[in-house]
Amino acid sequence: MRRRLILGALALVVVVVVAVVAVPLLTGAGPIPPATVDLARLDAGQRTRLVERGRYIARAADCAACHVAEDGRAYAGGLPMETPVGTIYGTNITPSHDHGIGGWSADDLYRALVYGILPDGGRLYPAMPYTSYHAMTRADVDALSAYLASLPAVEKPNRPPDLAFPFNIRPAIAFWNLVFRPEPGDLPPPAGSAAPAGDHARGRYLVEVLGHCGECHTPRNLAYAMEDDRHLQGEVIEGALAPDITPAGLSARGWTAEDLTGFLSTGLSPQGTMTFRMYPVLHHSTRYLTAEDVGAIAAYLTEGAPPPTRPEPVTTGHTQNPGHDIYLGFCAGCHGADGEGHPAASPPLASNTTAMLQDPRNLVKVIRDGIPARPLAGTGRMQEMPAFGDLLDDGEMAALVNYLRRRWGGQPGDVTAERVAEVGPR
């Protein structure tokens, strides 16, 4: 008996040792393709064009949205990102040798973007979307590397993540990678190529790889990995719903490819304006994309969608709804008595996608917290929507939300005061 126990203990030790040694080796960086450009041989014009191309890649990949500093300094890091397991702070990716990526080669950048592995062998947390960037082309990484190296160095230390146990054990990410990190697959066309508008492969690359849309719009499991069988079907990010952007989901809320093109280019559409985590996407990324690329994104996201549908507005009996008088008192002055809105001032509610979502949290948050005034693309500007959280109690808020959902959203008026309270404080 004693001998069996000893042998069993030894076997367990062997298994643990093999796991600790083998898993990190198996989940390290894979093959790194050769560089597509020899930086040492570039003349001034070639280098300038490569840096400009890299700037475009950085915008298409929306790098600034996570790596901006709290004071607005580009790529200096520090922006907090709330996740279900704690807070992660964007890192400094300027050429600072002490705090940024000044000592990184283009190979190092490729390894981090595609495999989530740092030059010293450390693992990045999957909040860095390497599970989407895993299909970035080497040409795009080379251009991005040249662009980041051209930026002024910002001597700003990084802030360590604040995560709950066991997610704060960074080496354990090797096990996460073993299960959830995809292998680099077939590579889409390189960014910046002259692909025709609506090209499927180009749109797929921009949505699934550079734009990493699935990182916010795909539900995640308990291990914080994206659920592939519910791809782009919507997820709650920092308290707000990133809605379903599958072709069927978009169509059910009345989106067309034309609507999406306008929304991504200007921040405005008949379905509403850019809010929550989508506003930084407009501000740092989509407004800079070419018309061809925005068209390819819109075509890809609506490919194969059924004809757009939109709930028919309720035109009778709504005046008896408990939220009608609240709407007239607080909302109709800007949005119109029939939800028609005012051009360049207040978006229409009769076609607003927020009221059409089954989950009411975005509607509650907008009414309760308001939306600050801020610039959109070009000369466009979103006017401030005041917050009504201090003027309406949870019961009144629920009545107003139900009125909007039933009159224009095609949703039941089943939101309770308790559900409003669950959305949480400001």
Side-chain angles (χ1 to χ4, degrees):
M1 183 64 182
R2 181 181 179 187
R3 184 179 179 183
R4 287 184 179 179
L5 289 174
I6 293 174
L7 289 175
L10 288 174
L12 180 61
V13 169
V14 169
V15 169
V16 171
V17 170
V18 169
V20 169
V21 173
V23 170
L25 291 176
L26 291 172
T27 60
I32 297 177
T36 59
V37 61
D38 184 350
L39 293 176
R41 293 178 178 272
L42 296 180
D43 61 30
Q46 291 170 324
R47 185 177 293 275
T48 297
R49 288 191 290 276
L50 182 66
V51 167
E52 279 304 306
R53 177 173 149 73
R55 183 199 305 272
Y56 188 82
I57 300 301
R59 286 172 168 169
D62 202 14
C63 303
C66 292
H67 291 282
V68 68
E70 308 93 310
D71 58 8
R73 285 180 291 177
Y75 306 112
L79 185 75
M81 289 170 280
E82 302 296 336
T83 77
V85 298
T87 304
I88 292 177
Y89 300 89
T91 54
N92 185 337
I93 57 171
T94 71
S96 165
H97 282 269
D98 291 331
H99 308 296
I101 61 172
W104 288 27
S105 66
D107 279 0
D108 292 333
L109 185 62
Y110 184 90
R111 190 180 297 107
L113 289 169
V114 173
Y115 296 108
I117 305 295
L118 294 165
D120 64 0
R123 265 72 176 171
L124 290 166
Y125 286 109
M128 160 66 184
Y130 57 86
T131 52
S132 294
Y133 290 158
H134 77 285
M136 279 185 75
T137 67
R138 180 61 201 246
D140 282 353
V141 174
D142 289 339
L144 180 60
S145 177
Y147 169 63
L148 293 176
S150 74
L151 299 172
V154 178
E155 303 304 328
K156 180 176 183 294
N158 288 312
R159 186 170 176 180
D162 182 15
L163 299 176
F165 178 83
F167 300 98
N168 58 350
I169 305 175
R170 191 181 284 260
I173 298 172
F175 294 90
W176 191 95
N177 286 342
L178 180 66
V179 178
F180 299 113
R181 190 183 69 187
E183 294 297 325
D186 295 332
L187 298 179
S193 64
D199 178 78
H200 171 90
R202 180 66 176 165
R204 176 172 178 259
Y205 184 69
L206 288 163
V207 169
E208 308 289 6
V209 182
L210 289 185
H212 57 281
C213 303
E215 299 285 341
C216 289
H217 289 275
T218 297
R220 293 181 180 270
N221 60 25
L222 293 177
Y224 199 63
M226 290 184 285
E227 299 180 21
D228 293 337
D229 58 344
R230 299 171 66 194
H231 187 55
L232 300 180
Q233 292 183 19
E235 174 66 315
V236 176
I237 299 292
E238 295 184 341
L241 177 68
D244 183 340
I245 57 169
T246 62
L250 289 169
S251 176
R253 302 195 304 278
W255 286 94
T256 66
E258 182 181 6
D259 294 336
L260 274 179
T261 299
F263 189 62
L264 295 170
S265 301
T266 67
L268 295 169
S269 74
Q271 288 77 13
T273 59
M274 289 273 191
T275 55
F276 304 122
R277 292 295 293 174
M278 272 305 289
Y279 178 75
V281 175
L282 170 75
H283 185 67
H284 296 296
S285 176
T286 57
R287 65 173 174 158
Y288 295 107
L289 300 185
T290 64
E292 291 77 12
D293 278 352
V294 173
I297 293 172
Y300 176 73
L301 288 174
T302 56
E303 188 175 51
T309 58
R310 184 178 296 165
E312 289 294 327
V314 173
T315 56
T316 59
H318 59 279
T319 56
Q320 283 75 51
N321 188 299
H324 180 68
D325 288 344
I326 301 175
Y327 177 80
L328 291 180
F330 289 94
C331 314
C334 292
H335 293 286
D338 291 316
E340 66 272 24
H342 293 291
S346 304
L349 295 180
S351 57
N352 197 288
T353 194
T354 307
M356 302 176 192
L357 298 173
Q358 183 177 10
D359 188 330
R361 75 179 64 225
N362 288 4
L363 200 52
V364 172
K365 287 178 66 67
V366 166
I367 297 171
R368 186 192 61 192
D369 302 340
I371 302 174
R374 48 194 176 188
L376 298 172
T379 58
R381 184 169 179 80
M382 184 159 55
Q383 293 194 10
E384 178 187 11
M385 174 180 160
F388 295 101
D390 294 335
L391 301 175
L392 300 174
D393 62 28
D394 290 346
E396 293 168 326
M397 187 79 74
L400 177 58
V401 167
N402 284 329
Y403 177 79
L404 298 172
R405 283 164 58 87
R406 294 189 64 177
R407 187 168 183 197
W408 292 299
Q411 293 291 336
D414 57 358
V415 179
T416 64
E418 291 75 18
R419 180 69 183 94
V420 170
E422 287 174 1
V423 175
R426 285 185 182 183

